[in-house]
Amino acid sequence: MFCFCGYKKAQHLCLCIPCIRIVDQEEFNKERNQMGCQSLWGLLNSPFLNKLKPYLAMVSLQFGYSGMYIIALVALKGGFSHWILVVYRHAIATLVFAPFAYFLERKTRPKVTKSILLKIAVLAFLEPVLDQNLYYMGMQYTSATFASAIVNVLPAFTFILAVIFRLEKVNLKKTYSLAKVIGTLATVAGAMIMTLYKGPIVDILWYSHGSSHHKTAAVSADQHWITGTIMVLSCIVGWSMFFILQNKTLKEYPAELSLTSLICLMGTVEGGLVAAITEPRRSAWVIGFDLRLLAAAYAGIVCSGIAYYLQSVVNKARGPVFVTAFSPLSMIITAILGAIVLSEQVHLGSLIGAVVIVFGLYSVIWGKSKENVDSKGLTSDMIKAHELFDGVDNKNPVILDKDIETGANSKFLSLQKPCK
Protein backbone atom coordinates (compact mmCIF):
# COMPACT_ATOMS: atom_id res chain seq x y z
CA MET A 1 0.00 0.00 0.00
CA PHE A 2 1.23 3.49 -0.82
CA CYS A 3 0.39 6.88 0.59
CA PHE A 4 -0.36 9.65 -1.90
CA CYS A 5 3.07 11.23 -1.32
CA GLY A 6 4.72 8.01 -2.43
CA TYR A 7 5.82 6.89 1.02
CA LYS A 8 5.29 3.17 1.46
CA LYS A 9 3.55 2.61 4.77
CA ALA A 10 0.80 0.04 4.84
CA GLN A 11 -0.59 0.53 8.33
CA HIS A 12 -0.46 4.26 8.95
CA LEU A 13 -2.03 7.32 7.43
CA CYS A 14 0.61 9.76 6.18
CA LEU A 15 0.35 13.24 7.67
CA CYS A 16 1.72 15.16 4.68
CA ILE A 17 -0.58 17.86 3.28
CA PRO A 18 -1.72 16.13 0.04
CA CYS A 19 -2.60 12.91 1.84
CA ILE A 20 -5.99 12.21 3.36
CA ARG A 21 -6.18 8.46 2.89
CA ILE A 22 -4.27 5.31 2.06
CA VAL A 23 -4.43 4.33 -1.62
CA ASP A 24 -3.18 1.35 -3.55
CA GLN A 25 -0.39 1.41 -6.15
CA GLU A 26 -2.63 1.84 -9.21
CA GLU A 27 -4.70 4.65 -7.72
CA PHE A 28 -1.56 6.36 -6.47
CA ASN A 29 0.03 6.40 -9.96
CA LYS A 30 -3.21 7.60 -11.59
CA GLU A 31 -3.79 10.52 -9.23
CA ARG A 32 -0.14 11.52 -9.19
CA ASN A 33 -0.08 11.75 -12.99
CA GLN A 34 -3.30 13.76 -12.98
CA MET A 35 -1.70 16.38 -10.75
CA GLY A 36 1.27 16.63 -13.11
CA CYS A 37 3.85 16.41 -10.34
CA GLN A 38 5.51 13.12 -11.13
CA SER A 39 8.95 14.72 -11.41
CA LEU A 40 8.58 16.38 -7.99
CA TRP A 41 7.65 13.16 -6.20
CA GLY A 42 10.41 11.36 -8.07
CA LEU A 43 12.88 13.91 -6.75
CA LEU A 44 11.60 13.64 -3.18
CA ASN A 45 11.91 9.86 -3.27
CA SER A 46 15.19 9.71 -5.17
CA PRO A 47 18.06 7.61 -3.77
CA PHE A 48 20.27 10.72 -3.68
CA LEU A 49 17.88 12.58 -1.37
CA ASN A 50 17.45 9.51 0.82
CA LYS A 51 21.22 9.42 1.32
CA LEU A 52 21.20 13.11 2.26
CA LYS A 53 18.44 12.82 4.85
CA PRO A 54 20.67 11.69 7.78
CA TYR A 55 23.12 14.52 7.04
CA LEU A 56 20.37 17.13 6.76
CA ALA A 57 18.81 15.94 10.01
CA MET A 58 22.06 16.16 11.97
CA VAL A 59 23.06 19.53 10.48
CA SER A 60 19.62 20.98 11.31
CA LEU A 61 19.98 19.79 14.89
CA GLN A 62 23.25 21.71 15.30
CA PHE A 63 21.44 24.97 14.51
CA GLY A 64 18.80 24.03 17.07
CA TYR A 65 21.41 23.25 19.72
CA SER A 66 23.22 26.54 19.09
CA GLY A 67 20.04 28.52 19.70
CA MET A 68 19.40 26.57 22.88
CA TYR A 69 22.91 27.27 24.23
CA ILE A 70 22.39 31.04 23.91
CA ILE A 71 18.78 31.20 25.15
CA ALA A 72 19.42 28.86 28.08
CA LEU A 73 22.55 30.73 29.20
CA VAL A 74 20.72 34.08 29.18
CA ALA A 75 17.88 32.54 31.23
CA LEU A 76 20.31 30.94 33.70
CA LYS A 77 22.20 34.20 34.17
CA GLY A 78 18.84 35.82 34.87
CA GLY A 79 18.39 33.58 37.92
CA PHE A 80 16.54 30.61 36.43
CA SER A 81 17.51 27.35 38.16
CA HIS A 82 18.95 24.74 35.79
CA TRP A 83 17.33 21.99 37.88
CA ILE A 84 13.88 23.49 37.23
CA LEU A 85 14.70 24.25 33.58
CA VAL A 86 15.38 20.55 32.98
CA VAL A 87 12.03 19.57 34.53
CA TYR A 88 9.97 22.10 32.57
CA ARG A 89 11.90 21.30 29.40
CA HIS A 90 10.98 17.63 29.42
CA ALA A 91 7.45 18.20 30.69
CA ILE A 92 6.77 20.38 27.63
CA ALA A 93 8.45 17.85 25.34
CA THR A 94 6.26 15.07 26.77
CA LEU A 95 3.04 17.04 26.29
CA VAL A 96 3.94 17.91 22.69
CA PHE A 97 5.20 14.55 21.42
CA ALA A 98 3.21 11.97 23.43
CA PRO A 99 0.00 12.40 21.33
CA PHE A 100 1.96 11.90 18.09
CA ALA A 101 3.61 8.79 19.51
CA TYR A 102 0.29 7.37 20.68
CA PHE A 103 -1.56 7.74 17.37
CA LEU A 104 1.25 7.19 14.84
CA GLU A 105 2.82 4.13 16.49
CA ARG A 106 -0.12 2.47 18.21
CA LYS A 107 -0.09 -0.52 15.81
CA THR A 108 3.67 -0.96 15.58
CA ARG A 109 4.69 -0.10 19.13
CA PRO A 110 5.90 -3.19 21.04
CA LYS A 111 4.96 -3.85 24.64
CA VAL A 112 7.08 -2.25 27.35
CA THR A 113 8.75 -5.07 29.25
CA LYS A 114 10.60 -4.75 32.56
CA SER A 115 13.91 -4.78 30.71
CA ILE A 116 12.85 -1.97 28.37
CA LEU A 117 11.39 0.05 31.25
CA LEU A 118 14.66 -0.24 33.15
CA LYS A 119 16.62 0.91 30.09
CA ILE A 120 14.28 3.89 29.65
CA ALA A 121 14.76 4.83 33.31
CA VAL A 122 18.55 4.72 32.88
CA LEU A 123 18.33 6.70 29.62
CA ALA A 124 16.24 9.36 31.37
CA PHE A 125 18.80 9.62 34.17
CA LEU A 126 21.82 9.77 31.85
CA GLU A 127 20.62 12.50 29.46
CA PRO A 128 17.78 14.60 30.90
CA VAL A 129 18.96 14.55 34.53
CA LEU A 130 22.73 13.96 34.73
CA ASP A 131 23.95 15.24 31.37
CA GLN A 132 21.88 18.40 31.05
CA ASN A 133 22.35 19.62 34.62
CA LEU A 134 26.11 19.10 34.43
CA TYR A 135 26.19 20.89 31.09
CA TYR A 136 24.23 23.90 32.33
CA MET A 137 26.44 24.20 35.42
CA GLY A 138 29.61 23.88 33.35
CA MET A 139 28.34 26.45 30.84
CA GLN A 140 27.65 28.94 33.64
CA TYR A 141 31.20 28.53 34.97
CA THR A 142 32.80 28.88 31.49
CA SER A 143 30.85 30.18 28.48
CA ALA A 144 28.43 28.97 25.83
CA THR A 145 31.19 29.08 23.20
CA PHE A 146 33.64 27.08 25.32
CA ALA A 147 31.03 24.48 26.28
CA SER A 148 29.90 23.97 22.67
CA ALA A 149 33.56 23.65 21.59
CA ILE A 150 34.58 21.04 24.13
CA VAL A 151 31.45 19.01 23.34
CA ASN A 152 33.32 18.02 20.15
CA VAL A 153 35.08 15.29 22.14
CA LEU A 154 31.70 13.52 22.26
CA PRO A 155 32.38 11.33 19.16
CA ALA A 156 35.70 10.18 20.65
CA PHE A 157 34.12 9.24 23.97
CA THR A 158 31.27 7.54 22.11
CA PHE A 159 33.77 5.61 19.98
CA ILE A 160 35.64 4.40 23.09
CA LEU A 161 32.43 3.20 24.72
CA ALA A 162 31.25 1.66 21.42
CA VAL A 163 34.47 -0.38 21.30
CA ILE A 164 34.00 -1.47 24.91
CA PHE A 165 30.41 -2.57 24.24
CA ARG A 166 31.39 -4.17 20.88
CA LEU A 167 29.38 -1.80 18.71
CA GLU A 168 32.60 -0.78 16.95
CA LYS A 169 35.55 -2.95 15.90
CA VAL A 170 39.22 -1.97 15.90
CA ASN A 171 41.78 -3.63 13.64
CA LEU A 172 45.04 -1.66 13.66
CA LYS A 173 46.13 -3.42 10.45
CA LYS A 174 43.40 -1.50 8.64
CA THR A 175 43.93 2.15 7.75
CA TYR A 176 40.41 3.20 8.74
CA SER A 177 40.73 1.64 12.22
CA LEU A 178 44.06 3.39 12.72
CA ALA A 179 42.46 6.69 11.67
CA LYS A 180 39.69 6.25 14.24
CA VAL A 181 42.19 5.55 17.03
CA ILE A 182 44.42 8.53 16.09
CA GLY A 183 41.36 10.77 15.84
CA THR A 184 40.17 9.69 19.27
CA LEU A 185 43.56 10.47 20.82
CA ALA A 186 43.62 13.85 19.06
CA THR A 187 40.21 14.86 20.41
CA VAL A 188 41.24 13.93 23.95
CA ALA A 189 44.46 15.96 23.51
CA GLY A 190 42.43 18.94 22.26
CA ALA A 191 40.16 18.75 25.29
CA MET A 192 43.21 18.75 27.60
CA ILE A 193 44.58 21.85 25.82
CA MET A 194 41.29 23.68 26.30
CA THR A 195 41.23 22.67 29.98
CA LEU A 196 44.82 23.41 30.98
CA TYR A 197 45.67 26.41 28.76
CA LYS A 198 43.57 29.56 28.35
CA GLY A 199 45.95 32.02 26.76
CA PRO A 200 45.18 35.57 25.67
CA ILE A 201 41.76 36.73 24.53
CA VAL A 202 41.04 36.60 20.78
CA ASP A 203 38.20 38.78 19.52
CA ILE A 204 36.57 36.79 16.74
CA LEU A 205 34.14 39.66 15.98
CA TRP A 206 34.12 43.35 16.84
CA TYR A 207 30.96 42.58 18.83
CA SER A 208 33.21 40.68 21.26
CA HIS A 209 34.29 43.88 23.01
CA GLY A 210 32.12 43.57 26.06
CA SER A 211 31.08 45.93 28.79
CA SER A 212 32.38 46.13 32.33
CA HIS A 213 29.64 43.71 33.32
CA HIS A 214 31.09 41.14 30.94
CA LYS A 215 34.58 41.69 32.36
CA THR A 216 33.31 41.07 35.87
CA ALA A 217 31.62 37.86 34.66
CA ALA A 218 34.85 36.81 32.94
CA VAL A 219 36.83 37.20 36.19
CA SER A 220 34.28 35.07 37.99
CA ALA A 221 34.45 32.47 35.23
CA ASP A 222 38.26 32.37 35.49
CA GLN A 223 37.98 31.24 39.10
CA HIS A 224 35.78 28.28 38.17
CA TRP A 225 37.20 27.45 34.72
CA ILE A 226 38.61 24.02 35.57
CA THR A 227 35.53 23.10 37.63
CA GLY A 228 33.26 24.04 34.74
CA THR A 229 35.39 22.10 32.26
CA ILE A 230 35.26 18.98 34.43
CA MET A 231 31.47 19.30 34.62
CA VAL A 232 31.14 19.58 30.83
CA LEU A 233 33.46 16.60 30.30
CA SER A 234 31.44 14.56 32.82
CA CYS A 235 28.31 15.56 30.95
CA ILE A 236 29.87 14.28 27.70
CA VAL A 237 30.61 10.90 29.30
CA GLY A 238 26.94 10.61 30.32
CA TRP A 239 25.82 11.71 26.85
CA SER A 240 28.04 9.08 25.20
CA MET A 241 26.60 6.38 27.45
CA PHE A 242 23.13 7.61 26.50
CA PHE A 243 23.80 7.08 22.77
CA ILE A 244 25.24 3.60 23.38
CA LEU A 245 22.27 2.51 25.50
CA GLN A 246 19.84 4.18 23.08
CA ASN A 247 21.29 2.11 20.23
CA LYS A 248 20.76 -1.11 22.21
CA THR A 249 17.26 -0.11 23.36
CA LEU A 250 16.09 0.60 19.80
CA LYS A 251 16.82 -3.02 18.89
CA GLU A 252 14.30 -4.16 21.52
CA TYR A 253 11.91 -1.23 21.19
CA PRO A 254 11.98 0.04 17.57
CA ALA A 255 9.42 2.83 18.07
CA GLU A 256 11.36 6.08 17.94
CA LEU A 257 8.55 8.52 18.81
CA SER A 258 7.29 6.39 21.68
CA LEU A 259 10.80 5.96 23.04
CA THR A 260 11.32 9.73 22.85
CA SER A 261 8.10 10.41 24.75
CA LEU A 262 8.86 7.82 27.41
CA ILE A 263 12.37 9.20 27.96
CA CYS A 264 10.99 12.72 28.30
CA LEU A 265 8.27 11.54 30.69
CA MET A 266 10.71 9.57 32.83
CA GLY A 267 13.16 12.48 32.71
CA THR A 268 10.41 14.80 34.01
CA VAL A 269 9.70 12.49 36.94
CA GLU A 270 13.34 11.84 37.85
CA GLY A 271 14.36 15.45 37.29
CA GLY A 272 11.39 16.63 39.35
CA LEU A 273 12.47 14.52 42.31
CA VAL A 274 16.00 15.90 42.15
CA ALA A 275 14.78 19.48 41.68
CA ALA A 276 12.36 19.19 44.60
CA ILE A 277 15.34 18.44 46.85
CA THR A 278 17.73 21.03 45.42
CA GLU A 279 15.14 23.80 44.88
CA PRO A 280 12.52 23.52 47.67
CA ARG A 281 11.46 27.21 47.38
CA ARG A 282 8.08 27.63 45.67
CA SER A 283 9.08 31.00 44.23
CA ALA A 284 11.84 29.32 42.19
CA TRP A 285 9.22 27.27 40.35
CA VAL A 286 7.13 30.26 39.27
CA ILE A 287 7.23 30.80 35.52
CA GLY A 288 5.40 33.30 33.31
CA PHE A 289 5.37 34.47 29.72
CA ASP A 290 9.02 35.48 29.80
CA LEU A 291 12.49 34.26 28.86
CA ARG A 292 12.18 31.33 31.28
CA LEU A 293 9.17 29.96 29.42
CA LEU A 294 10.91 30.53 26.07
CA ALA A 295 14.02 28.66 27.26
CA ALA A 296 11.96 25.72 28.58
CA ALA A 297 9.70 25.53 25.51
CA TYR A 298 12.51 25.90 22.97
CA ALA A 299 14.78 23.39 24.70
CA GLY A 300 11.90 20.97 25.25
CA ILE A 301 10.44 20.97 21.75
CA VAL A 302 13.61 21.38 19.68
CA CYS A 303 16.44 19.92 21.77
CA SER A 304 14.56 17.18 23.62
CA GLY A 305 11.60 16.07 21.52
CA ILE A 306 12.78 16.66 17.95
CA ALA A 307 16.42 15.95 18.81
CA TYR A 308 15.71 12.65 20.61
CA TYR A 309 13.50 11.48 17.74
CA LEU A 310 15.91 12.38 14.92
CA GLN A 311 18.85 10.96 16.87
CA SER A 312 16.91 7.73 17.40
CA VAL A 313 16.17 7.38 13.69
CA VAL A 314 19.72 8.18 12.57
CA ASN A 315 21.27 6.17 15.42
CA LYS A 316 19.27 3.14 14.32
CA ALA A 317 20.37 3.54 10.69
CA ARG A 318 23.95 4.83 10.97
CA GLY A 319 25.09 4.10 14.52
CA PRO A 320 26.02 6.31 17.50
CA VAL A 321 29.36 7.57 16.10
CA PHE A 322 27.65 9.13 13.04
CA VAL A 323 25.09 10.89 15.26
CA THR A 324 27.84 12.66 17.20
CA ALA A 325 29.96 13.62 14.19
CA PHE A 326 28.39 17.01 13.42
CA SER A 327 29.04 18.92 16.65
CA PRO A 328 31.77 21.24 15.17
CA LEU A 329 29.06 23.07 13.22
CA SER A 330 27.29 23.88 16.48
CA MET A 331 30.56 25.20 17.91
CA ILE A 332 30.99 27.67 15.01
CA ILE A 333 27.38 28.91 15.16
CA THR A 334 27.48 29.26 18.95
CA ALA A 335 30.79 31.16 18.84
CA ILE A 336 29.31 33.73 16.43
CA LEU A 337 26.02 34.07 18.33
CA GLY A 338 27.87 34.21 21.66
CA ALA A 339 30.08 37.06 20.43
CA ILE A 340 27.08 39.02 19.11
CA VAL A 341 24.42 38.34 21.76
CA LEU A 342 26.44 37.69 24.93
CA SER A 343 29.67 39.60 24.09
CA GLU A 344 31.63 36.44 24.89
CA GLN A 345 35.38 36.42 24.40
CA VAL A 346 37.30 33.45 23.04
CA HIS A 347 40.71 32.51 24.44
CA LEU A 348 43.63 31.32 22.33
CA GLY A 349 43.75 28.00 24.21
CA SER A 350 40.14 27.35 23.28
CA LEU A 351 40.83 28.02 19.59
CA ILE A 352 43.92 25.76 19.50
CA GLY A 353 42.13 22.99 21.37
CA ALA A 354 39.06 23.30 19.12
CA VAL A 355 41.20 22.99 15.97
CA VAL A 356 42.89 19.85 17.36
CA ILE A 357 39.52 18.40 18.35
CA VAL A 358 38.02 19.05 14.89
CA PHE A 359 41.04 17.39 13.25
CA GLY A 360 40.61 14.34 15.46
CA LEU A 361 36.86 14.34 14.93
CA TYR A 362 37.07 14.19 11.16
CA SER A 363 39.79 11.58 11.37
CA VAL A 364 37.24 9.43 13.21
CA ILE A 365 34.56 10.28 10.63
CA TRP A 366 36.88 9.43 7.72
CA GLY A 367 37.75 6.09 9.29
CA LYS A 368 34.08 5.37 9.92
CA SER A 369 33.11 6.17 6.31
CA LYS A 370 35.89 3.94 4.92
CA GLU A 371 34.81 1.16 7.23
CA ASN A 372 31.22 1.42 5.96
CA VAL A 373 32.42 1.21 2.34
CA ASP A 374 34.54 -1.81 3.18
CA SER A 375 31.69 -3.57 4.98
CA LYS A 376 29.32 -2.90 2.06
CA GLY A 377 31.85 -4.41 -0.33
CA LEU A 378 32.15 -7.44 1.93
CA THR A 379 28.38 -7.90 1.99
CA SER A 380 28.15 -7.55 -1.80
CA ASP A 381 30.80 -10.22 -2.34
CA MET A 382 29.05 -12.55 0.09
CA ILE A 383 25.85 -12.17 -1.93
CA LYS A 384 27.77 -13.00 -5.11
CA ALA A 385 29.20 -16.06 -3.40
CA HIS A 386 25.70 -17.28 -2.56
CA GLU A 387 24.61 -16.66 -6.14
CA LEU A 388 27.53 -18.76 -7.39
CA PHE A 389 26.58 -21.45 -4.94
CA ASP A 390 22.99 -21.46 -6.20
CA GLY A 391 24.19 -21.68 -9.81
CA VAL A 392 26.22 -24.85 -9.36
CA ASP A 393 24.75 -27.89 -11.14
CA ASN A 394 24.00 -30.49 -8.49
CA LYS A 395 24.41 -33.31 -10.99
CA ASN A 396 27.94 -32.27 -11.82
CA PRO A 397 29.47 -30.99 -8.60
CA VAL A 398 32.69 -29.04 -9.02
CA ILE A 399 35.50 -27.77 -6.89
CA LEU A 400 35.92 -24.03 -6.64
CA ASP A 401 39.59 -23.44 -5.86
CA LYS A 402 39.73 -19.68 -6.35
CA ASP A 403 39.08 -17.43 -3.44
CA ILE A 404 36.38 -14.86 -3.86
CA GLU A 405 37.96 -11.44 -3.64
CA THR A 406 36.57 -9.36 -0.78
CA GLY A 407 37.60 -6.47 1.38
CA ALA A 408 38.98 -8.99 3.84
CA ASN A 409 40.46 -11.28 1.12
CA SER A 410 38.83 -14.29 2.73
CA LYS A 411 37.49 -17.50 1.22
CA PHE A 412 33.72 -17.64 1.28
CA LEU A 413 32.98 -20.78 -0.72
CA SER A 414 34.61 -24.12 -1.22
CA LEU A 415 32.63 -27.04 -2.67
CA GLN A 416 34.07 -30.53 -2.54
CA LYS A 417 33.08 -33.66 -4.53
CA PRO A 418 31.06 -36.02 -2.38
CA CYS A 419 32.83 -39.20 -1.33
CA LYS A 420 31.74 -42.32 -3.21
Side-chain angles (χ1 to χ4, degrees):
M1 300 290 287
F2 283 79
C3 204
F4 186 71
C5 65
Y7 182 64
K8 186 176 182 181
K9 202 168 187 180
Q11 296 179 339
H12 295 300
L13 182 65
C14 182
L15 295 180
C16 67
I17 294 175
C19 302
I20 56 174
R21 65 193 182 285
I22 298 294
V23 297
D24 58 23
Q25 177 74 56
E26 184 178 354
E27 185 180 357
F28 161 71
N29 290 331
K30 181 179 178 181
E31 295 189 13
R32 184 183 64 178
N33 292 333
Q34 287 177 352
M35 289 186 66
C37 55
Q38 185 172 0
S39 60
L40 174 62
W41 297 123
L43 175 63
L44 293 177
N45 293 281
S46 64
F48 175 74
L49 187 59
N50 288 333
K51 291 180 181 179
L52 280 182
K53 285 178 182 178
Y55 295 91
L56 294 175
M58 293 297 101
V59 169
S60 300
L61 276 187
Q62 303 315 310
F63 283 90
Y65 279 132
S66 299
M68 186 271 293
Y69 295 149
I70 302 300
I71 296 173
L73 185 57
V74 173
L76 293 173
K77 286 185 175 181
F80 196 22
S81 169
H82 59 85
W83 303 104
I84 298 175
L85 172 59
V86 169
V87 177
Y88 284 147
R89 167 180 173 169
H90 291 92
I92 292 174
T94 303
L95 292 175
V96 171
F97 288 92
F100 289 99
Y102 177 78
F103 289 105
L104 296 179
E105 295 180 340
R106 58 182 176 180
K107 293 184 178 180
T108 60
R109 181 174 50 245
K111 293 183 179 180
V112 178
T113 63
K114 292 182 179 179
S115 173
I116 294 174
L117 185 61
L118 179 61
K119 288 183 175 66
I120 291 173
V122 176
L123 285 170
F125 175 76
L126 286 175
E127 217 288 321
V129 180
L130 180 66
D131 164 53
Q132 290 180 20
N133 282 298
L134 285 174
Y135 185 87
Y136 287 144
M137 287 189 288
M139 186 169 61
Q140 284 180 287
Y141 284 143
T142 56
S143 68
T145 303
F146 178 87
S148 64
I150 204 169
V151 162
N152 288 310
V153 303
L154 177 62
F157 281 27
T158 306
F159 173 70
I160 294 171
L161 291 175
V163 171
I164 294 174
F165 290 99
R166 297 181 180 180
L167 295 177
E168 293 281 342
K169 296 180 180 180
V170 176
N171 182 4
L172 296 180
K173 295 181 180 180
K174 297 291 184 180
T175 306
Y176 57 77
S177 286
L178 192 61
K180 291 193 291 185
V181 172
I182 293 174
T184 301
L185 295 176
T187 54
V188 174
M192 293 180 65
I193 292 173
M194 295 181 69
T195 305
L196 302 176
Y197 174 67
K198 287 187 66 175
I201 294 174
V202 178
D203 292 330
I204 58 175
L205 291 173
W206 64 272
Y207 292 94
S208 304
H209 295 284
S211 62
S212 59
H213 171 75
H214 171 73
K215 293 177 181 178
T216 303
V219 172
S220 176
D222 288 343
Q223 298 173 353
H224 303 285
W225 194 267
I226 295 179
T227 303
T229 304
I230 293 173
M231 287 182 175
V232 177
L233 289 174
S234 301
C235 133
I236 292 170
V237 174
W239 205 357
S240 301
M241 295 176 66
F242 171 83
F243 284 123
I244 297 299
L245 184 58
Q246 183 190 51
N247 184 273
K248 290 183 173 293
T249 306
L250 285 168
K251 295 176 182 178
E252 299 181 38
Y253 194 79
E256 293 85 359
L257 267 177
S258 299
L259 182 61
T260 297
S261 301
L262 290 172
I263 292 174
C264 290
L265 176 61
M266 194 68 73
T268 303
V269 175
E270 294 178 5
L273 294 175
V274 175
I277 298 173
T278 57
E279 294 289 346
R281 296 176 295 109
R282 290 186 179 180
S283 59
W285 291 79
V286 176
I287 189 171
F289 290 94
D290 51 13
L291 187 61
R292 296 185 176 191
L293 179 61
L294 175 62
Y298 181 92
I301 296 173
V302 176
C303 300
S304 287
I306 295 177
Y308 289 169
Y309 173 70
L310 290 180
Q311 286 167 353
S312 297
V313 174
V314 178
N315 196 344
K316 186 177 179 181
R318 294 297 186 93
V321 176
F322 182 90
V323 173
T324 60
F326 294 83
S327 50
L329 179 59
S330 175
M331 172 188 67
I332 297 170
I333 301 169
T334 305
I336 296 174
L337 291 178
I340 296 174
V341 179
L342 303 175
S343 296
E344 289 186 343
Q345 294 172 323
V346 179
H347 293 268
L348 180 61
S350 298
L351 287 178
I352 296 174
V355 170
V356 175
I357 287 173
V358 171
F359 166 77
L361 172 65
Y362 283 104
S363 178
V364 174
I365 296 173
W366 181 86
K368 184 66 178 175
S369 63
K370 293 297 181 181
E371 182 184 36
N372 289 338
V373 171
D374 188 76
S375 63
K376 287 180 180 179
L378 183 65
T379 304
S380 176
D381 286 329
M382 290 181 68
I383 294 174
K384 291 179 181 178
H386 284 291
E387 290 176 351
L388 287 173
F389 178 80
D390 293 336
V392 172
D393 188 353
N394 293 328
K395 294 182 180 180
N396 299 298
V398 296
I399 300 175
L400 298 180
D401 294 322
K402 294 182 179 180
D403 291 345
I404 299 173
E405 293 296 327
T406 66
N409 292 324
S410 60
K411 192 171 183 178
F412 289 108
L413 181 61
S414 178
L415 301 177
Q416 303 291 336
K417 272 189 176 181
C419 299
K420 293 183 179 179

